[in-house]
């Protein structure tokens, strides 16, 4: 089509050429406008004399400097926002007033007579034609530009500044074809923004299906709680990919560009109210210090490495016996690190090794993440799990006490509260070991701060149901549940890591600090959400043609139906951080060393039956 070829040709012209073309266009346009203004003002076909011709030629001579000064030629027409009409209005008005002043001067000096209506007509025609030419050119360049085959048909959810900026950014991306906006505000329905129609949320389903929409990008800040899940569930029920614009804070910090979008993931459905990290509190406990993270290759250990690395420690020591995992996280951290990053292969059960590491490196803070955590795997390997989780904690805690480490933080679990399995029992013993050395530190005034941080599941961590569900969904199902009513606490890895670091600055010797986990999540709901986010439907009796079945296989004996975060809710006290709580102090067990020796002897003797019994004896 000729129009399409013309639009493509104009769009591909160099910017200077397009600017020059508009200057020439404006000169010719203003000359014609002035002549028309005289004809209308005189109500006759106007033939100017030499003096009137000079006034006509003066119109573009006066207007062009004003247009240049006000930036009329700096706008990129393809991205011209509607509010730029105000700039056109002020530019044209200033040019018309300047020309009218010149005409008035000509009349007072007797050079020539000009009807008073000419200046008014000149302003009106100039305004209409100058503005119309810009908007018309924008429509021509934008609407006729060829959309590449396979371009994603995209709707933008929201109509605020982020949405408008995103549309402007996406116009330069050939992979997307923005089809319009979606708004909860019914009063905006049918209106146009940037030449794109605004559709009401109530008509979203037919709009998606009629226009073959491929994706919806959410640009508003997601609400908290049930409203968030309801919104995402509504969007997720449509046959489209749902994506989200990063938070304004991340855009402002330069972490993302306005054109960057991400998939909505399971974190967005947790309904947790975000509390920004306190940067001062985090820097105070990390900046300029030597930090050791055990279990650095694990899920929470790796996230802690990333968090600590952003806070400029003096040195970061990563320890794990997983060679490949340690290599990967050290490579990720070391790429941009401006401080030494040490990679140490080894187990925390090696007492001489951990003592050597702490003393030689003069470690200030230890984050002890190393532990076996997979409940069923741990249950089947009681001897080795106890050796790693309990004796390993004793070895590194004792070494930290001897070497004068300033802060020691154990990463614990909600399974440590009234434990029903080996994993929970080993975590409870680890808490008691750390409390034991905390009491000693407080009594001796050594200045070593031993504390534990207890929280629930980290989304996507090894051993959690999320990777399992993701794998089962990818294989076409079924997604397996152990019990319809089972619940668990969840939070994102990054939030957990940031809260752990902040808890370090709030802890007192022997403390057990708990991360506020919000409301427990039903595992069935989690499975349903993950199926929805994968763009699949649930197969039920009412929907036999669904994609993925959810199967209940029965609860396993060491599992609890519901996890707890504390023994006695009445004993929980707040800290200065709204997401960090302090558990009531436990009764001191004075013979901890003797009990640990008993566990060690049972491990060495291979007395698994007796060991299992001893694991649950906390008196």
């Amino acid at each position: 089509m000729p129009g399409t070829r013309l639009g493509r040709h104009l769009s591909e012209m160099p910017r200077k050429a397009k600017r020059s073309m508009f200057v020439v266009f404006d000169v010719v346009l203003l000359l014609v406008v002035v002549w028309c203004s005289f004809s209308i003002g005189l109500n006759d076909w106007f033939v100017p004399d030499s003096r009137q011709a000079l006034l006509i030629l003066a119109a573009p001579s006066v207007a062009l400097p004003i247009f240049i000064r006000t930036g009329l030629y700096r706008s990129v027409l393809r991205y011209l926002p509607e509010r730029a009409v105000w700039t056109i209005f002020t530019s044209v008005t200033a040019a018309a007033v300047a020309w009218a002043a010149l005409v008035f001067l000509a009349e007072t000096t007797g050079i020539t007579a000009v009807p008073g209506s000419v200046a008014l007509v000149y302003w009106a025609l100039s305004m209409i034609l100058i503005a119309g030419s810009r908007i018309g050119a924008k429509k021509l360049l934008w609407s006729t530009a060829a959309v590449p085959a396979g371009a994603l048909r995209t709707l933008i959810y929201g109509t605020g500044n982020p949405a408008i900026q995103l549309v402007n950014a996406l116009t330069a991306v050939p992979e997307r074809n923005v089809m319009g906006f979606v708004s909860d505000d019914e009063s905006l329905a049918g209106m146009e923004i940037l030449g794109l129609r605004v559709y009401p949320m109530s008509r979203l389903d037919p709009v998606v299906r009629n226009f073959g929409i491929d994706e919806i990008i959410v640009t508003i800040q997601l609400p908290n709680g049930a409203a968030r899940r309801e919104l995402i569930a509504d969007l997720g029920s449509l046959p489209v990919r749902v994506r989200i614009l990063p938070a304004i804070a991340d855009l402002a910090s330069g972490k993302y560009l306005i054109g960057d979008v991400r998939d909505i993931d399971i974190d967005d459905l947790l309904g947790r109210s975000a509390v920004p990290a306190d940067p001062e509190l985090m820097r105070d406990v990390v900046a300029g210090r030597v930090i050791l993270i055990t279990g650095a290759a694990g899920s929470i250990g790796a996230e802690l490495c990333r968090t600590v690395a952003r806070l400029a420690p003096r040195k970061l020591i990563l320890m794990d016996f997983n060679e490949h995992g340690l290599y990967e996280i050290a490579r990720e951290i070391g790429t941009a690190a401006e401080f030494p990053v040490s990679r140490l292969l080894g187990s925390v059960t090696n007492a001489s090794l951990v003592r050597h590491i702490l003393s030689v490196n003069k470690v200030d803070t230890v984050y002890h993440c190393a532990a076996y955590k997979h409940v069923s795997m741990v249950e089947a390997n009681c001897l080795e799990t106890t050796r790693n989780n309990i004796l390993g904690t004793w070895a590194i805690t004792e070494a930290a006490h001897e070497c004068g480490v300033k802060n020691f933080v154990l990463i614990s679990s909600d399974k440590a509260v009234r434990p029903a399995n080996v994993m929970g029992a080993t975590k409870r013993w680890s808490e008691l070991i750390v409390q034991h050395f905390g009491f000693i530190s407080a009594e001796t005034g050594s200045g070593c701060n031993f504390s534990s941080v207890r929280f629930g599941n980290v989304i996507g961590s090894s051993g959690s149901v999320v990777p399992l569900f993701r794998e089962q969904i990818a294989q076409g199902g079924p997604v397996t549940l152990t019990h319809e009513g089972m619940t668990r606490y969840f939070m994102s890895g990054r939030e957990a890591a940031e809260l752990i670091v902040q808890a370090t600055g709030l802890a007192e010797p022997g403390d057990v600090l708990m991360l506020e986990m919000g409301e427990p999540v039903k595992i069935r709901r989690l499975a349903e959400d993950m199926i929805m986010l994968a763009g699949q439907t649930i197969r039920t009796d009412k929907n036999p043609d669904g994609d993925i079945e959810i199967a209940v296989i029965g609860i396993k004996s060491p599992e609890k139906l519901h996890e707890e975060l504390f023994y006695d809710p009445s004993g929980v006290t707040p800290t200065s951080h709204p997401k960090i709580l302090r558990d009531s102090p436990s009764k001191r067990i004075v013979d901890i060393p003797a009990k640990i020796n008993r566990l060690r002897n049972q491990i060495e003797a291979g007395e698994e039956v007796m060991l299992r019994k001893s694991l649950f004896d906390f008196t």
Side-chain angles (χ1 to χ4, degrees), residues 216-286:
I216 298 174
I217 301 177
V218 180
T219 63
I220 64 171
Q221 182 176 354
L222 290 174
N224 290 321
R228 172 189 298 225
R229 186 173 185 275
E230 183 179 352
L231 171 61
I232 297 178
D234 288 343
L235 297 177
S237 65
L238 300 169
V240 295
R241 185 179 187 182
V242 181
R243 311 193 78 191
I244 189 169
L245 190 69
I248 292 299
D250 288 334
L251 294 174
S253 66
K255 184 177 178 183
Y256 298 99
L257 300 176
I258 191 70
D260 293 336
V261 294
R262 64 171 176 83
D263 289 331
I264 284 185
D265 57 32
I266 199 65
D267 286 358
D268 297 307
L269 294 176
L270 293 180
R272 295 178 53 78
S273 55
V275 174
D278 182 343
E280 291 300 322
L281 182 58
M282 295 178 73
R283 275 194 293 269
D284 285 347
V285 297
V286 172

Side-chain angles (χ1 to χ4, degrees), residues 77 99 104 124 132 150 189 191 198 217 254 305 308 321 325 370 381 437 476 501 531 538 552 555 588 611 617:
L77 291 173
W99 184 76
F104 177 75
M191 299 181 67
V198 180
I217 301 177
C305 291
V308 169
F321 56 53
N381 294 273
F437 283 99
V501 173
I531 293 171
I538 302 170
V552 179
I555 194 167
R588 184 172 184 177
L611 177 64
D617 179 12

Side-chain angles (χ1 to χ4, degrees), residues 130-444:
I130 294 290
S133 66
R134 267 59 179 180
I135 295 173
K138 175 191 170 183
K139 296 287 185 182
L140 178 66
L141 290 173
W142 197 350
S143 63
T144 63
V147 177
L152 295 176
R153 293 174 170 262
T154 302
L155 282 176
I156 306 299
Y157 188 96
T159 55
N161 284 333
I164 293 171
Q165 292 178 52
L166 178 62
V167 170
N168 286 332
L170 293 184
T171 53
V173 179
E175 293 81 12
R176 284 189 173 87
N177 181 18
V178 181
M179 305 295 292
F181 295 90
V182 179
S183 175
D184 291 319
D185 187 350
E186 295 286 337
S187 66
L188 296 178
M191 299 181 67
E192 287 194 357
I193 300 175
L194 300 179
L196 299 170
R197 185 159 184 166
V198 180
Y199 299 99
M201 184 66 180
S202 58
R203 293 197 61 245
L204 183 56
D205 187 275
V207 168
V208 166
R209 299 181 191 280
N210 293 341
F211 290 101
I213 300 300
D214 298 302
E215 70 173 359
I216 298 174
I217 301 177
V218 180
T219 63
I220 64 171
Q221 182 176 354
L222 290 174
N224 290 321
R228 172 189 298 225
R229 186 173 185 275
E230 183 179 352
L231 171 61
I232 297 178
D234 288 343
L235 297 177
S237 65
L238 300 169
V240 295
R241 185 179 187 182
V242 181
R243 311 193 78 191
I244 189 169
L245 190 69
I248 292 299
D250 288 334
L251 294 174
S253 66
K255 184 177 178 183
Y256 298 99
L257 300 176
I258 191 70
D260 293 336
V261 294
R262 64 171 176 83
D263 289 331
I264 284 185
D265 57 32
I266 199 65
D267 286 358
D268 297 307
L269 294 176
L270 293 180
R272 295 178 53 78
S273 55
V275 174
D278 182 343
E280 291 300 322
L281 182 58
M282 295 178 73
R283 275 194 293 269
D284 285 347
V285 297
V286 172
R289 303 193 182 198
V290 179
I291 310 293
L292 168 64
I293 299 177
T294 71
S299 305
I300 190 61
E303 198 60 57
L304 259 174
C305 291
R306 299 182 187 103
T307 300
V308 169
R310 291 193 294 267
L311 300 169
R314 181 155 56 92
K315 184 177 184 179
L316 180 55
I317 305 168
L318 314 181
M319 182 179 180
D320 207 295
F321 56 53
N322 178 346
E323 181 185 16
H324 178 70
L326 183 61
Y327 166 78
E328 289 293 333
I329 187 60
R331 184 169 64 88
E332 177 188 337
I333 297 299
T335 301
E338 297 180 354
F339 49 84
V341 178
S342 295
R343 303 170 295 176
L344 299 180
L345 275 171
S347 169
V348 291
T349 60
N350 187 335
S352 60
L353 173 64
V354 295
R355 188 175 289 106
H356 176 75
I357 292 170
L358 294 173
S359 61
V360 168
N361 292 280
K362 294 181 171 53
V363 172
D364 296 299
T365 301
V366 175
Y367 289 106
H368 179 41
C369 307
Y372 292 137
K373 303 181 183 74
H374 195 287
V375 173
S376 60
M377 185 72 73
V378 161
E379 201 68 25
N381 294 273
C382 177
L383 290 168
E384 189 55 36
T385 295
T386 306
R387 183 196 309 276
N388 186 73
N389 290 11
I390 298 180
L391 300 189
T393 298
W394 177 269
I396 192 168
T397 310
E398 184 179 44
H401 176 67
E402 293 174 359
C403 295
V405 169
K406 293 183 176 65
N407 290 295
F408 184 99
V409 182
L410 167 73
I411 310 306
S412 189
S413 165
D414 55 358
K415 293 177 176 60
V417 179
R418 282 181 273 273
N421 47 55
V422 170
M423 189 274 187
T426 60
K427 279 297 184 182
R428 180 58 181 158
W429 274 110
S430 296
E431 287 185 357
L432 294 174
I433 291 169
V434 172
Q435 280 189 326
H436 170 75
F437 283 99
F439 289 139
I440 294 176
S441 175
E443 290 169 354
T444 61

Side-chain angles (χ1 to χ4, degrees), residues 491-507:
M491 68 165 42
S492 71
R494 178 168 181 169
E495 183 185 11
E498 290 180 345
L499 288 172
I500 289 168
V501 173
Q502 292 172 90
T504 308
L506 301 176

Side-chain angles (χ1 to χ4, degrees), residues 34 38 55-56 58-59 62 94-104 114 118-119 122:
V34 175
F38 271 98
L55 285 178
I56 292 175
V62 170
V97 169
W99 184 76
L102 185 62
V103 169
F104 177 75
V114 179
V118 170
Y122 169 66

